[in-house]
Amino acid sequence: MKTTPAFLRSYYLAASVFFGSCFSACEHSVTPPEPYGAIPSAYQMEWQKMEYYMFAHFGPNTFTNVEWGNGEEDPKVFNPTNLDCRQWAATAKAAGMKGIIITAKHHDGFCLWPSEYSTHTVRESLWKDGKGDLLKELSEACKEYGLQFGVYLSPWDQNHPAYGTPEYNQVFANTLDEVLSGYGHIFEQWFDGANGEGHDGKKQVYDWDLFHETVYRNQPHAIIFSDVGPGCRWMGNEQGIAGATNWSTLNITGFEPGLGAPPTDTLNQGNRGGEAWVPAETDVSIRPGWFYSPDTDDKVKTVEQLVELFYTSIGRNSNLLLNVPPNREGRIHPVDSTRLMEFKQVIEESFAENLMKGATIQASAVRGNGSRYEPANLLDGVYDSYWATNDGELTAWLEIALEQQKTFNRLLLQEYIPLGQRVAGVTVDYWNDSLNDWAFLTEATTIGYKRILRFPTVTTQKIRIHITESLACPVLNNLELYKAPEFLSAPAVMRNKEGRVLITCSSPDPVIYYTLDGTTPTTSSLRYQQPFSLEQAGTVKAIATIQNGEQISEVVTEDFDISPAKWAVISPEIENMDLIIDGNVQSVATIPLESDPVIIDLGETIGIKGFCYVPVNHTSANNISRYHLSVSENGTDWKSVKSSALFNNIKNNPVRQDIRLDQPVTSRFIKLEPLQGVHDGDAYIIAEIGVITK
Ligand code: FUL
């Protein structure tokens, strides 16, 4: 065996100590990036990592079929016959959700616990002979299922007699105190910004400092939701679409929740380099409305729609608060829970195998040129290890060589947000073998906690990610790559002015089947070849299929009332008024404020039980919020059937409004007089008007 002479051994030792210590000293002298701008608290980080949790709207509205109760409801209407909060918790858990937020008190003031500060509570209801406490049952169920528990409390209270006076602020603070001290840990306190008028017409000037102090005194770690945080923010719409640019930072000075909030576009995108860390939360309902209604059992969002919501919320640096409203039994309806499980399955399939596994990665720059911030940190699955460049290096590229050729269509990126949100521009290229060159794949502006980019499926072994703009040196901690299954879109069913039904599907070359008898369509049902006539009321259910029926879409159900084939809009006499009865919700009429009321001649006298107004499904549209509705047999003598009525919550959730009359009427003409829009515009917008005869 060869031995090293003693004098050489001591030389080697000295040299290795010297070089070794220099190496580790150099490594350690590489300082981590300084936090940039506003950064999340430890509790905001915990909250952000929850990503997905349930909203439960439940209260008198569940039983009265309205979205906003007025506080005058008899508390006895609240009477769930088979309430089981453990079923809600089991459903949320199985769906992959991390918590439940309950509407402890909505705008009608009804308290789901026996509050000492109200006479409009479960105590006054028939449920459990007034002995029940829903917050107790739900908080215990959440605990049992390992879920976080959160509460929604509306400061706007249409029942409390003190509302609209300074005393009410203390009443509301007492109410908060009660809820936040009585049911264990609360992860999120949800403040609704709605601020309507009280009975005496007075608006409340809210004491937000008092409310926040009350929350933090009881629950120091709670995330406070409102339009402007401070814990997290409303992202500006109730359709589930966070901004493609979405900063978790927001300028809050001078703003307040509700009427004093920043514009909805700002809430949607946050402020680049904004002064406070107020990340976005996407609240959206699985049904068209927030409360359960038997009328919407066939309007529960499809899996395709839920998957879309996933990408426009969690995929865009926002948490997803998905509302799944319990029904009149006090349970989550089977249609909703089935849809949740199917949704979860698609997401699991889409993100089953990270194709970055085994990849090698090179960066144009590495902080300190050492191993501590090397790009391999992006693939190690460890949250707190990250790749960074040197201070001042605001652009960079990463080149990833996959283990072998891979086929994929999703790229997941994460910034290490404990050091702030920095990246403002990123483009992604892939190596295109046939071009023998790099080709454009996709691009984005912000990343934040999590960004998932979707693009057409490609097969390649190399991708290159360019950080093209960053507010400070980029700091990223994770990259993942996936092949999500292609989706066969469900068909769209519409009926035109002539009463002909058209069924279309956005996926290529589908074969469509449908039924008219309410049964679920199969490949043996009627095959759709061309538009068909449906002048009377009826239900169309349709599916799309490809590959000889091997792949079948979800079922779509459209419930039609009588068709507008015989109708005519006779007022106002302005262009395009026919668009409000053409069956196409995409075509809209714009009606200047001073126009004559909208009068529709139904062509014959019919029994009318209600009417429907389809607004434009965008919060910036000046949809009608307040209206009069009258009917007439002859077009001259009018009878008022709705006077100065409100379309509830239409500003934030502009979905189809089905309004039932107190008493059915028999008439030939209907007259809609818009009184107020959701914004101060110079025209109102109507997509469709219909009548309810069923
Ligand atoms: C809105 C409310 O007015 C709706 O009723 C619902 O509770 C939604 C989550 O917030 O502002």
Side-chain angles (χ1 to χ4, degrees):
M1 194 169 107
K2 282 195 197 163
T3 52
T4 311
F7 75 95
L8 274 184
R9 275 207 305 270
S10 54
Y11 168 78
Y12 285 154
L13 186 67
S16 75
V17 167
F18 174 76
F19 286 118
S21 61
C22 172
F23 183 73
S24 54
C26 296
E27 277 286 285
H28 282 111
S29 66
V30 182
T31 51
E34 287 290 317
Y36 174 78
I39 56 167
S41 69
Y43 308 111
Q44 283 173 314
M45 277 311 303
E46 276 175 31
W47 170 90
Q48 190 86 58
K49 288 179 182 173
M50 288 175 67
E51 293 191 6
Y52 178 39
Y53 33 93
M54 185 185 276
F55 217 173
H57 274 66
F58 192 55
N61 299 350
T62 310
F63 302 86
T64 53
N65 230 10
V66 297
E67 280 293 297
W68 283 357
N70 62 12
E72 287 168 13
E73 296 77 20
D74 183 342
K76 294 195 171 51
V77 298
F78 182 83
N79 191 16
T81 48
N82 198 8
L83 184 124
D84 183 4
C85 288
R86 295 180 69 249
Q87 187 251 6
W88 310 6
T91 306
K93 186 76 182 178
M97 294 167 159
K98 299 292 190 296
I100 302 182
I101 299 181
I102 175 75
T103 50
K105 177 172 88 103
H106 203 253
H107 310 324
D108 55 20
F110 185 85
C111 300
L112 294 181
W113 76 104
S115 174
E116 157 186 348
Y117 303 100
S118 168
T119 53
H120 196 52
T121 78
V122 282
R123 189 184 47 234
E124 285 73 37
S125 78
L126 292 178
W127 178 56
K128 292 197 164 173
D129 294 327
K131 306 266 171 353
D133 181 343
L134 200 131
L135 298 191
K136 183 167 186 292
E137 293 195 20
L138 185 58
S139 57
E140 285 172 359
C142 283
K143 209 166 179 191
E144 180 182 338
Y145 283 86
L147 295 168
Q148 298 274 10
F149 179 57
V151 286
Y152 163 118
L153 276 118
S154 166
W156 181 26
D157 186 325
Q158 298 184 81
N159 178 270
H160 204 283
Y163 189 85
T165 69
E167 289 75 65
Y168 173 79
N169 283 327
Q170 192 54 52
V171 173
F172 186 64
N174 294 343
T175 312
L176 275 175
D177 210 52
E178 217 174 28
V179 170
L180 299 172
S181 63
Y183 302 97
H185 176 66
I186 303 283
F187 85 100
E188 182 168 329
Q189 166 62 53
W190 216 95
F191 281 129
D192 198 301
N195 180 350
E197 293 181 4
H199 288 299
D200 47 8
K202 277 196 211 147
K203 288 219 167 195
Q204 182 74 36
V205 179
Y206 296 132
D207 188 345
W208 289 107
D209 289 343
L210 172 66
F211 303 163
H212 290 178
E213 181 274 314
T214 311
V215 176
Y216 290 135
R217 182 163 35 79
N218 286 290
Q219 301 282 340
H221 306 156
I223 298 301
I224 297 182
F225 168 101
S226 83
D227 294 334
V228 288
C232 67
R233 72 171 196 269
W234 184 47
M235 69 70 193
N237 64 63
E238 294 180 358
Q239 279 61 56
I241 309 169
T245 295
N246 186 7
W247 295 97
S248 292
T249 46
L250 191 71
N251 294 331
I252 51 172
T253 305
F255 293 110
E256 278 211 341
L259 298 174
T264 47
D265 283 355
T266 306
L267 295 178
N268 195 238
Q269 307 200 346
N271 291 114
R272 177 183 164 126
E275 63 189 4
W277 187 268
V278 194
E281 180 183 83
T282 297
D283 61 312
V284 57
S285 184
I286 198 166
R287 290 176 176 244
W290 288 98
F291 285 87
Y292 173 81
S293 160
D295 302 341
T296 57
D297 285 348
D298 61 6
K299 292 280 170 284
V300 176
K301 287 198 168 61
T302 60
V303 176
E304 191 180 358
Q305 289 170 319
L306 292 171
V307 169
E308 185 61 27
L309 285 181
F310 170 86
Y311 286 110
T312 57
S313 57
I314 294 175
R316 288 184 176 175
N317 188 31
S318 167
N319 278 3
L320 172 58
L321 172 60
L322 181 62
N323 182 59
V324 188
N327 64 14
R328 292 175 186 173
E329 279 183 80
R331 287 171 176 252
I332 290 171
H333 192 279
V335 172
D336 306 50
S337 53
T338 309
R339 220 42 71 73
L340 286 177
M341 301 313 143
E342 292 166 347
F343 166 45
K344 181 186 179 220
Q345 197 183 334
V346 172
I347 296 301
E348 278 177 355
E349 274 168 31
S350 304
F351 296 91
E353 190 192 351
N354 179 4
L355 301 170
M356 284 280 186
K357 199 163 167 257
T360 52
I361 181 161
Q362 282 190 330
S364 61
V366 177
R367 190 175 186 82
N369 292 321
S371 59
R372 189 157 171 198
Y373 302 107
E374 64 185 0
N377 293 344
L378 288 158
L379 307 183
D380 65 2
V382 178
Y383 189 83
D384 291 313
S385 81
Y386 51 85
W387 160 75
T389 63
N390 289 316
D391 293 341
E393 284 173 339
L394 305 185
T395 62
W397 52 256
L398 295 159
E399 194 175 307
I400 298 136
L402 302 171
E403 213 173 19
Q404 64 207 46
Q405 292 256 327
K406 305 260 174 162
T407 300
F408 53 87
N409 51 19
R410 304 282 184 271
L411 173 66
L412 183 154
L413 304 108
Q414 289 188 281
E415 271 185 271
Y416 188 63
I417 55 166
L419 295 178
Q421 190 179 351
R422 301 154 176 251
V423 174
V426 54
T427 60
V428 185
D429 298 327
Y430 72 104
W431 183 259
N432 183 315
D433 282 334
S434 41
L435 295 177
N436 200 28
D437 201 354
W438 292 103
F440 174 82
L441 187 57
T442 186
E443 64 186 340
T445 47
T446 52
I447 298 176
Y449 167 70
K450 187 176 276 185
R451 185 72 204 262
I452 306 172
L453 301 177
R454 291 181 284 177
F455 40 84
T457 305
V458 288
T459 300
T460 184
Q461 197 169 350
K462 282 197 293 187
I463 60 170
R464 195 169 60 182
I465 300 173
H466 250 113
I467 307 293
T468 55
E469 196 183 347
S470 190
L471 308 186
C473 71
V475 181
L476 269 66
N477 63 342
N478 192 29
L479 289 178
E480 297 173 20
L481 201 61
Y482 295 97
K483 163 79 174 67
E486 307 287 348
F487 224 85
L488 171 56
S489 290
V493 181
M494 71 163 275
R495 186 176 62 181
N496 67 14
K497 164 86 173 72
E498 288 71 43
R500 295 184 72 72
V501 174
L502 282 77
I503 312 183
T504 52
C505 175
S506 55
S507 292
D509 304 323
V511 178
I512 293 171
Y513 298 92
Y514 68 97
T515 62
L516 294 170
D517 59 4
T519 58
T520 303
T522 65
T523 49
S524 320
S525 304
L526 296 164
R527 183 169 168 174
Y528 176 78
Q529 313 270 17
Q530 59 189 36
F532 57 88
S533 189
L534 182 70
E535 290 210 359
Q536 293 313 311
T539 301
V540 181
K541 288 183 183 261
I543 49 167
T545 68
I546 51 172
Q547 294 156 356
N548 286 327
E550 258 178 45
Q551 215 183 322
I552 302 184
S553 77
E554 292 175 79
V555 180
V556 158
T557 305
E558 269 318 320
D559 245 327
F560 295 107
D561 211 299
I562 54 159
S563 92
K566 296 182 184 151
W567 302 4
V569 184
I570 55 175
S571 164
E573 287 181 39
I574 54 175
E575 249 187 288
N576 292 331
M577 281 308 294
D578 273 358
L579 299 181
I580 69 170
I581 52 169
D582 69 351
N584 181 359
V585 296
Q586 307 301 337
S587 68
V588 305
T590 305
I591 302 167
L593 291 196
E594 304 307 325
S595 307
D596 289 336
V598 178
I599 300 179
I600 301 175
D601 178 357
L602 304 173
E604 61 188 337
T605 299
I606 54 171
I608 300 176
K609 294 191 173 150
F611 84 108
C612 89
Y613 165 53
V614 183
V616 170
N617 192 228
H618 199 284
T619 43
S620 65
N622 194 25
N623 291 310
I624 301 167
S625 62
R626 195 178 280 282
Y627 65 96
H628 280 321
L629 187 80
S630 328
V631 294
S632 167
E633 291 263 20
N634 54 15
T636 314
D637 306 313
W638 294 96
K639 176 182 173 203
S640 167
V641 285
K642 286 276 170 193
S643 175
S644 192
L646 262 186
F647 293 122
N648 291 332
N649 200 27
I650 196 166
K651 185 172 180 193
N652 292 340
N653 193 21
V655 293
R656 176 188 162 125
Q657 309 284 310
D658 283 321
I659 308 294
R660 297 219 162 238
L661 306 183
D662 299 337
Q663 295 295 327
V665 290
T666 309
S667 286
R668 173 167 168 170
F669 296 88
I670 59 169
K671 177 163 80 175
L672 177 73
E673 292 171 76
L675 300 178
Q676 204 182 327
V678 297
H679 302 294
D680 290 332
D682 46 17
Y684 300 113
I685 296 226
I686 301 180
E688 288 295 303
I689 298 283
V691 294
I692 301 172
T693 63
K694 295 191 285 180

